[in-house]
Amino acid sequence: MVETVSIIFPFIYAALNAVSFALYGLDKYKARKELWRIPEKTLLTISLFGPIGAWLGMMQFRHKTQKTMFRYLVPGFVGVHLLLVLWLNL
């Protein structure tokens, strides 16, 4: 069971980060076209589970970088995930 989880988890984590990256890009596209936007709560929630993709999406698309909440929370989520990885590997 543990072997299965350790094999599947990186793929799930990569998928969450890819979805997070894509949502930031989609929201930026919708902002430019003045279409219905993705709620900030949704972006922050996906950032909690896929922070690396969210942070890369913020930088790549220059989206939500001026919002204080995003500017501090998303890098904070990245830090928490890095600390968890370090803790789990010790």
Side-chain angles (χ1 to χ4, degrees), residues 13-87:
Y13 191 69
L16 284 170
N17 280 289
V19 168
S20 183
F21 181 83
L23 283 178
Y24 274 81
L26 180 63
D27 194 49
K28 180 66 175 195
Y29 172 80
K30 288 181 172 200
R32 286 185 176 164
K33 299 291 184 181
E34 297 180 8
L35 299 172
W36 170 84
R37 304 280 303 278
I38 298 169
E40 288 185 348
K41 278 185 178 182
T42 303
L43 289 174
L44 283 173
T45 301
I46 193 65
S47 297
L48 177 62
F49 296 105
I52 298 167
W55 183 70
L56 290 173
M58 284 175 61
M59 297 301 113
Q60 176 69 32
F61 303 115
R62 297 183 184 184
H63 190 52
K64 300 289 185 185
T65 57
Q66 299 301 312
K67 295 257 184 180
T68 305
M69 187 168 35
F70 283 86
R71 189 180 326 151
Y72 294 112
L73 278 180
V74 173
F77 293 155
V78 171
V80 168
H81 278 241
L82 290 175
L83 289 173
L84 282 171
V85 167
L86 289 172
W87 180 68

